[in-house]
Amino acid sequence: MKLPELPDLPVRAALDEITGTLAARGSAVLVAPPGTGKTTLVPLALAAALGGGRVLVAEPRRLATRAAAARMAALLGEEVGGTVGYAVRGQARRSARTRVEVVTSGLLLRRLVADPELAGTSAVVLDECHERHLDADLLLSLLLDARDGLRPDLQLLATSATVATDQLAGLLDGPVLEVAGTAFPVTVGHLPPVRGERIEACVARAVRTALDEGDGDVLAFLPGVAEIRRTAAALTGLDADVLPLHGRLPPAEQDRALRRGTRRRVVLATAVAESSLTVPGVRAVVDAGLARVPRTDHRRGLAGLVTVRVSAAVATQRAGRAGREGPGRVLRCWPEGELLARAPEPEIRTADLTRLALDLACWGTPDGGGLRWWDPPPEGPLRAGQAVLHALGALSAPGGGVTERGRRMAELGLHPRLARALLDGAAATGARTAAEVVALLDDDTLATGPEVDDALRRLRSGDAPAAGRWRGEAGRLRRLLPGARDGDAAGERRRHSGPADAALVVALAHPERLARRRSAGSARYLMAGGTAVELPPGSALGAAEWLAVAVADRTPGAEHARVRLAAAADAELAVRAAPALLTEGDEVAWVRDDPAGVVARHVRRLGAIVLAEHRLPAPDPEALRAALLDGLRTEGTGLLRWTDGARRLRDRLATLHRTLGAPWPDVSDAALLADPDRWWSGPVAGARSRADLARVDATTVLRAVLGWREAALLDELAPERVTVPSGSRVALDYSGERPVLAVRVQEVFGWNAPPAVAGGRLPVLLHLLSPAGRPAAVTDDLDSFWKVGYPQVRADLRGRYPKHAWPEDPLSEPPTRRTKR
């Protein structure tokens, strides 16, 4: 393959070094900023240097895939599909002559799993590795594994726009090659939203400022398609062409944004324009500072895209787009002093790993063991993905091997949930309906409201803006199904007229999101997975008792998740779609809000949703005991009847346990409930409800945990009362760290030392009271008190209580309970 004169981009001077390093070492990391030519010149140079075999270039996005192939073909003076081709899901332009093929990371991953040898491929370029997409990270690990075993001759080049590549170079066991860019200086300004201003309005304001303050086109980064639409609406009447740029646009509209115009342009783009693509004519960037990334809430069973603040690395890369053709400027729509994360979070740490788990199982290493990872998949989310795959029939067991059904699902190139919906939905509703609904679920931006049926009507009639794209994807999915024939369309049109068919396909994809209304007239539903969701106000789905929820998300701080896309369903459909979630049996449980405490019933459930129930008159004794213990653990032993005597007994036992240890028992709630077999007898064993527990004297529970020897020694080691010199028997208070004896001063005249409990190990603390019963002194050293403290107490109280004895020598005065005669 002979190369023409290549454009004078920064990477051109390093092409010989790059191809030579790969020939010598087999792998390398190329660090080069956007605009240096790494995406287009390097693959052509590799193909020319290798002489034979194909060079595969993996791009993170379909738009970048098509654009890179078109640019390389143009450099060769050819049409795409000759020497340079591309392939994305559902579309390919390549031929037997193709030497450089640009593919999405996900498509190459499917190809590699099906053919680990990558027959006919000599080199793979992993472009824009720094973006850390899930497919790209897994692809890197599997390519390294294939290279270690089957293909030691396969050359690997990873490219990155950032310099933090030490770990990546270590994985590849290759050198880091750096190519400097030729960017012009970019001035940075900040234009944060004013109070109450939406981000779209702020971006529109910043775009107008950028147009007024300089020349050239403006590239604005927004988090998603909805924000692009609202910003474009806010820019109506602008003296410039306002063009959207995102991955869901038809190719012709994408190409229009990537070509120079006849007048100034404002390109409103998602993250697709951060790297790999060149948007010509840009001299100003407006950065909303937001990005949409995948997140999974495993506790609530919700997965989707959330909007987050971009990292410092992404903000720098976006700003660099303004300095490609001359000095530029960037306006950032956040406060100047705001701290940003250093780099974006790798998707493998936050995304749903069900699809990754299926790929690993197909590769023969379900847990990913033995693979070299940039970041290994977190154990919990990986197990959750394996559990889903087992429920779908794709794995023989959670964490087990892949089944034939699982391999078929993997071949479809869909998320396993959608693959299941396509396969099983086609058998239940027909291939056409299943394919149409799955095409909608795979791109929920096609729906403008929360009703699946309304979205399908608009798409089928052609009223929706992206109806052509949806129709093409639905046709592709239909052709993937075994036995599907185009001639079956008439019969299937009659079948897909029923809305229940669409709901069934949705439910097959997300059985745990089947939802039932919580109460009559409510907009809140309980999903089978246990999460509460709410319909948006005014939804046409409000009359439905059941929903098959396709998309739901939860705003941080919101009480409930919000339904974004759903179809009306019924109980029969729910049972049909999710038989694995059906359970039936006796349930005996403690319910805090129920007056009886224990609720015993026979229940038929679909996950967390109760389908039918009736009361159990005679619940199983062991289940009843477990429910009562759960109530005691939840609400505490305060459910029992605690008399003053029971509280005093508990304090005495706690003091002896604290002072002497075993065999004196720990009588705290935690200790009692950790081993209920010691005391679950007598009245408590006959309890059946909250009221029964309230009649159980806690004294019987405390006495039950005492051995007979300890019971015999209790009054000796921790007496309830102590006889003082006056002859009174005064109660000891064991509720504190030390036992307290509260007694009038006159009753302890002549007493030299206070008593001690626990066999003399724990002295009693004396609270010496005035005749009115108020504390006059606290001491455990009576000898010192009589000498030092008593004279002051006598001086303070003698005049106030003249009828009581206040001798100068209390040690020789007889103790008394009475006043003076």
Side-chain angles (χ1 to χ4, degrees), residues 66 69-70 78-88 91-95 98 100-102:
R66 291 181 50 257
E78 300 180 5
E79 293 291 325
V80 174
T83 305
V84 180
Y86 75 87
V88 297
Q91 185 181 17
R93 291 182 64 183
R94 59 178 184 262
S95 65
T98 299
V100 177
E101 184 181 6
V102 191

Side-chain angles (χ1 to χ4, degrees), residues 95-282:
S95 65
R97 296 195 301 114
T98 299
R99 294 289 315 285
V100 177
E101 184 181 6
V102 191
V103 297
T104 57
S105 300
L107 187 68
L108 182 52
L109 187 57
R110 307 276 87 72
R111 198 178 289 183
L112 177 63
V113 170
D115 176 19
E117 291 191 38
L118 283 181
T121 300
S122 298
V124 175
V125 178
L126 302 174
D127 201 18
E128 311 297 355
C129 285
H130 62 279
E131 294 191 10
R132 302 303 309 276
H133 292 291
L134 182 60
D135 281 348
D137 274 16
L138 176 59
L139 177 60
L140 171 63
S141 292
L142 297 189
L143 282 170
L144 290 172
D145 196 48
R147 194 165 170 268
D148 290 341
L150 298 172
R151 289 294 310 277
D153 61 317
L154 183 66
Q155 295 184 9
L156 290 181
L157 177 67
T159 76
S160 172
T162 61
V163 295
T165 53
D166 291 344
Q167 188 180 359
L168 180 58
L171 283 172
L172 289 170
D173 191 25
V176 176
L177 308 174
E178 293 193 39
V179 174
T182 57
F184 293 90
V186 175
T187 59
V188 178
H190 290 263
L191 194 68
V194 297
R195 186 177 181 85
E197 186 179 32
R198 292 180 62 99
I199 190 61
E200 297 92 343
C202 180
V203 169
R205 182 161 54 90
V207 166
R208 295 180 188 276
T209 300
L211 288 171
D212 291 342
E213 293 181 350
D215 56 2
D217 296 342
V218 177
L219 173 62
F221 286 99
L222 289 139
V225 176
E227 290 83 358
I228 287 177
R229 289 173 181 159
R230 289 192 287 267
T231 304
L235 292 172
T236 301
L238 196 68
D239 187 20
D241 293 329
V242 179
L243 306 173
L245 179 60
H246 55 81
R248 301 296 189 181
L249 282 173
E253 292 187 42
Q254 292 174 345
D255 293 343
R256 184 182 172 207
L258 299 177
R259 291 193 303 265
R260 293 183 185 273
T262 56
R263 63 178 190 154
R264 296 185 75 180
R265 304 181 309 148
V266 175
V267 179
L268 305 178
T270 60
V272 297
E274 286 175 6
S275 56
S276 301
L277 295 176
T278 296
V279 183
V282 171

